[in-house]
Amino acid sequence: MASDKPYYTIEEMLEEIADYDQNQACLQILKYYRALFQKAQGSTNNHQNWPGGYFDHVQEILNIASNQYEWMNKRRPLPFTLGDAVLILFLHDIEKPWKYELRPDGQLHHKPEFAGKQDDHTFRLAKLREYNIVLTDAQMNALKYVEGEMADYSPRRRVMNELAGFCHSCDVLSARVWHAHPAEHDDPWKEARRIRDAVTAA
């Protein structure tokens, strides 16, 4: 990133996407669905599982990616740009705001049309078509395998490309290591805070 801010907004991170059409489509999605994104949970239970947690997870993961990319690319040049990673990570959970429903037991549950990971991926592809987002082959591989190789794993060939592996590592860090962050109060990462706190303070 160009500046030395400790923690970036989603909009600031989207500036890293060099392809104009991809950049504008992502900004359009964020603008149109911002209110929905700021209400949705990041998951039913495992990470960022509070109202607005979806938005927080996306912002958090983009900041993780920025830091990861900087130190890794200095050690060994990476075969993709930070903008490539930002694009995939912005889209990687795009189904989440539509995925859950509140049932009589008071808990969030997956809607029937999101029974498995393939259903999630199908929804993502539909959103790409809706906003005319065209991915390169490398980006498509990363979007497909951002959550791991799963059933496609093979001991004889690498299924995930480098971009997919990088994005997967960022997702794991947010969802399994920093699953409760940004913290509700006084997060140690300077300027990191939950969107509901940011909106209240504005």
Side-chain angles (χ1 to χ4, degrees):
M1 298 292 294
S3 71
D4 293 323
K5 282 185 61 176
Y7 202 82
Y8 297 96
T9 66
I10 295 177
E11 287 90 346
E12 288 170 334
M13 289 301 306
L14 290 178
E15 291 176 9
E16 290 292 323
I17 302 175
D19 183 280
Y20 178 80
D21 292 333
Q22 292 177 340
N23 171 274
Q24 291 301 299
C26 290
L27 287 171
Q28 187 178 1
I29 290 171
L30 180 61
K31 181 179 179 180
Y32 191 78
Y33 293 114
R34 190 180 188 91
L36 176 63
F37 290 176
Q38 291 180 353
K39 292 178 183 176
Q41 292 194 183
S43 70
T44 56
N45 180 72
N46 287 337
H47 67 87
Q48 287 86 23
N49 62 331
W50 54 81
Y54 169 76
F55 191 96
D56 293 333
H57 174 57
V58 174
Q59 189 158 267
E60 179 87 354
I61 203 173
L62 294 179
N63 277 277
I64 290 170
S66 179
N67 282 266
Q68 286 281 96
Y69 190 90
E70 182 177 4
W71 79 259
M72 289 184 71
N73 199 48
K74 283 181 179 177
R75 295 335 183 254
R76 299 186 182 104
L78 294 166
F80 53 86
T81 67
L82 174 58
D84 290 326
V86 167
L87 173 66
I88 298 308
L89 291 170
F90 177 74
L91 297 169
H92 87 287
D93 271 345
I94 197 69
E95 76 285 350
K96 287 284 182 75
W98 292 271
K99 185 173 183 175
Y100 307 122
E101 61 183 355
L102 188 64
R103 294 186 184 169
D105 63 2
Q107 299 296 314
L108 286 181
H109 296 269
H110 291 182
K111 293 180 180 177
E113 59 266 36
F114 294 99
K117 292 297 184 183
Q118 185 55 49
D119 298 318
D120 296 348
H121 189 62
T122 298
F123 184 94
R124 293 170 199 156
L125 295 180
K127 270 285 176 264
L128 294 183
R129 290 191 296 271
E130 181 181 349
Y131 283 87
N132 298 312
I133 300 174
V134 179
L135 301 184
T136 66
D137 289 344
Q139 291 168 346
M140 187 63 77
N141 176 281
L143 186 64
K144 183 175 182 180
Y145 296 113
V146 66
E147 293 182 332
E149 296 174 351
M150 294 176 280
D152 290 341
Y153 168 77
S154 170
R156 299 185 180 278
R157 64 184 179 90
R158 286 184 296 276
V159 175
M160 300 169 71
N161 64 16
E162 293 88 346
L163 177 59
F166 178 87
C167 292
H168 179 56
S169 71
C170 295
D171 190 35
V172 170
L173 288 172
S174 176
R176 293 297 180 270
V177 179
W178 285 338
H179 52 83
H181 292 277
E184 191 168 4
H185 303 289
D186 302 320
D187 192 284
W189 192 338
K190 187 179 179 183
E191 295 187 15
R193 55 181 173 174
R194 298 183 183 185
I195 187 59
R196 292 172 74 87
D197 298 330
V199 169
T200 301

